[in-house]
Amino acid sequence: MARIVMKFGGTSVKDIDRIRNVAQRVKAEVGAGNEVAVVVSAMAGVTNQLVDWTNQLSKLHDPREYDVVVASGEQVTSGLLAVGLQAIGVEARSWLGWQVPIRSNAVHGKARIESILAERIEAGFKRGEVAVVAGFQGVAEGERITTLGRGGSDTSAVALAAALKASRCDIYTDVDGVYTTDPRIVAKARKLDKITYEEMLELASLGAKVLQTRSVEMAMNHRVRLRVLSSFEDGPGTLVCDEDEIVEKSIVSGIAYSRDEAKITLTGVADRPGVAAAIFGPLAESSINVDMIVQNVSVDGTSTDITFTVGKADLDRAVHVITGRRDKLTFKDLKADKNVSKVSVIGVGMRSHAGVAQRMFSALADRSINIQAISTSEIKISVLIAEEYTELAVRALHTAYGLDGK
Ligand code: ADP
Ligand code: ASP
Ligand code: MG
């Protein structure tokens, strides 16, 4: 007998037939003698609708109320799956985040899980019950509902697997594993049998939505055996594991892209110590993550331009924070641009090979794609480009690094 966590994403629970399909998959695991906790997302499209309604009322809404609204999609699917399981003779009950409880910090909209009490769910296992846990949600001090950032049900699943000391955490989705790049935009993308935690972490954080970044980080820290597999067809999926479990290693293992960033340029910023701190400090205090930063050298010794990116969802808030401090931050002009995307190449092999960046720049230059910003780390290179070239760039790079399959 094993204890396992199964997570089903939005497309896997998008309607009643699909929920029936999920119930059958869960039943099979229970039938094999396993103790099962299931984590569910909201039905596909529901969270977007809830976000949109909140934004229609106010772009600068109270993030605590945003969480109350957007967490509701998972309440529906957790109850429905419990009903669906009971209907086929499987004992089950639903659990909302606060009922477990899944405690998080109070950074609403992108809260981090701080602890999960496993006891109540374990007591349910003893009664022979499947636990159907609403993903994406937690509870913070003051008993306020929180959500874990878009795609956060993956993190709910991994955190629960760690708390329950489960022997596996299986993420069921609409693709049959992790690919060299998004198989929806590159037909020649190849499925990987295994990928290292580190590479998966970079792929996820650079935009591959197949797993939420935080879920990979947590799996790596708690050594959770994480698999990505299809909820529609049987197959081994992709195992996320340690580097030494992987025999065949390539220099570049994947390409990711993100349309979720927006670019802000401040022109005529005073070129003196303390200016960057004055800009980025207030953004950090407002929980706005800044990603790429480019500062030009000052031509006249007095002023310069600073360009940086923030999440598209944070753009209005970021502009508000900066313009609200206009008197303290001397700058001439603020330009916001949503028409950008970030394309990245990732691979642990980059540590020991030269020329990886050069190949990227040439492949983009050959297609006349202009690079607006660059950032690198030990195992990735990212560039910011105009959004309309995203797919062209990803395909060109996939070919340039020899990743194309048949
Ligand atoms: P779920 O609703 O099940 O959580 P998501 O939409 O969040 O599913 O994630 C699955 C999607 O991730 C796939 O449909 C695919 O388009 C996208 N994706 C992006 N990059 C990759 C990749 N490298 N490998 C597999 N899927 C990817
Ligand atoms: N329903 C949430 C979202 O769409 C969480 C998830 O699906 O993982 O972001
Ligand atoms: Mg997802």
Side-chain angles (χ1 to χ4, degrees), residues 63-64 67 103-114 139-147 287:
R64 294 165 298 189
D67 276 351
R103 299 223 161 265
S104 76
N105 65 13
V107 183
H108 287 272
K110 43 188 162 192
R112 285 169 78 100
I113 294 177
E114 288 178 339
V139 59
E141 233 185 301
E143 306 305 305
R144 306 251 13 194
I145 306 283
T146 56
T147 62
S287 300

Side-chain angles (χ1 to χ4, degrees), residues 20-40:
R20 285 201 184 99
N21 167 59
V22 168
Q24 288 299 343
R25 287 201 174 264
V26 174
K27 185 177 184 172
E29 293 290 1
V30 174
N34 297 314
E35 289 179 332
V36 184
V38 191
V39 172
V40 284

Side-chain angles (χ1 to χ4, degrees), residues 7 9-10 40-43 47-48 70 74 135-136 149-154:
K7 180 259 169 179
V40 284
S41 294
M43 290 179 171
T47 310
N48 286 347
V70 304
E74 275 72 9
F136 186 49
R150 298 306 305 271
S153 299
D154 297 328

